[in-house]
Amino acid sequence: MPASLPPKDDTTERLALPPAMLNRLAGSDLVGRGAVNVISIKAIRRWAGDWWDQKRTDVWTYVERKLNEHLDRADLRGRVSEDDFLIATHNDQGLSAQAASIRILEDVLTHLLGAAELKDIGVRSVIGIEPGGVVCRPIDPSVVLAARARRDSERSPFRADIDVSDEMRRTPVAFTTSGGAALRVDFALEHVIGLRRNVTTAIRVEPIVTHLGTGRSISGRAITKLADKDIAFIDEATLRYGAAFAKAAQGNERPDLVLPASFRTLGTQRGRDLLTGTSGLSLALLRGGVMIELVDVTRGTPAGRLLEVVGLLKALTRGVIARVPPDKEAFKHLRDARLAGLTLDACDLGGPAEKIAMDIMAFGREARGLAPMVSLQGLPAEGYFAAAETAGLSHASLRAAHPYAARNAA
């Protein structure tokens, strides 16, 4: 049993478990990963009233049918009280595991009560184990429901926890490049959707760079062709903007925060000092929920140096993601990097629809087994999510809307 238990307070509850189930949980890391939840059918019991004794067996049977329908064979599930069912998922954790539990409960409530009202969605996250049972904390289902949204909005999982005025002070920023071009950098948030549960598992900062002279946006790959000094400026501005959201990304129950930056910047000691020295990005916050996306990994990136830099960044953050081009050669030196994720950006896809589809499928094949998260990001339309699933990818995201365009649309 774990030596340390969550303190008793008004927000936690104790729930007794059968010894066999308790032993299985104690012998795993499921609780620590935020993969264990308890769903309650108290609303159905209240609705049944005096008829509960006659109806409960049918209700339990239906719940068990839904558990089997939504969960994998290896997942732990079972009734632990008159109206509580425990669910432990091996392939989902945090928000994703909560989304699976809420989806099951929604199906049960809709079938038996005609609707799944927010007040009836009772889900508790198991946060600790003690002799005889577990410690639970109720979760706010509205947070999980908001995480189903494909795009950033006022209801996004991060938005309830940040100071909007603080965010606005960090965007946009303008500067003049070494070559004399006047650029403006706006920042937006991109929801990274876990395709398995259709819920946001990460929020990615997207820098949108505009040439002030022409008003045209500059693609991600074009940005990588700027001078090192100019790229470092954009990276620093990105870190400062992302720092406003770092506290909202802490813990298994919140999406991670993904901050894109150049390998050329973070490959230097000064760049890594910038990462840990940015106000609002303490080492504890970085490790608690911030991932770095290296945006310029190509076939020309030195393999040894890449492994070294990834190792250093992994010690500072929750994990490292590599953005790669649709180029088979770019994958060869990634096998030993132990990356948290690989991503392909839609701006790197071009040509007829058939070629784009082939590139997506090739990315899925080459990335398989290299990282737990394999994502297709910056998609122009939701229809591409199906292509990502067909290619065996784990995540996908729509291109973040430009802040000014979004405000005008609103």
Side-chain angles (χ1 to χ4, degrees), residues 29-95:
D29 65 345
L30 292 170
V31 172
R33 293 195 292 111
V36 187
N37 295 283
V38 176
I39 64 173
S40 169
I41 55 171
K42 287 180 181 178
I44 299 172
R45 185 177 179 182
R46 288 195 300 267
W47 164 78
D50 294 339
W51 291 91
W52 175 248
D53 287 344
Q54 289 94 331
K55 291 180 177 292
R56 61 184 180 181
T57 300
D58 291 337
V59 173
W60 292 341
T61 299
Y62 187 76
V63 175
E64 289 165 0
R65 184 194 310 170
K66 284 297 172 181
L67 292 172
N68 293 332
E69 180 182 314
H70 286 275
L71 300 176
D72 295 335
R73 180 179 299 179
D75 293 337
L76 178 63
R77 83 293 301 268
R79 184 172 60 84
V80 294
S81 74
E82 189 81 358
D83 42 33
D84 288 322
F85 289 77
L86 183 137
I87 300 169
T89 53
H90 286 272
N91 295 317
D92 296 292
Q93 62 186 41
L95 266 180

Side-chain angles (χ1 to χ4, degrees), residues 172-194:
V173 296
F175 72 106
T176 301
T177 68
S178 302
L183 303 180
R184 186 187 72 212
V185 187
D186 296 272
F187 296 100
L189 300 182
E190 190 169 294
H191 282 206
V192 182
I193 306 294

Side-chain angles (χ1 to χ4, degrees), residues 403-410:
Y404 292 134
R407 290 186 200 119
N408 293 335

Side-chain angles (χ1 to χ4, degrees), residues 32 60 97 125 150 174 204 217 223 238 245-246 251 267 299 336 352 354 397:
W60 292 341
S125 174
R150 302 294 208 202
R204 179 178 170 274
S217 294
I223 293 172
T238 302
F245 300 91
R299 64 162 69 186
D336 298 323
E354 294 82 1
S397 59

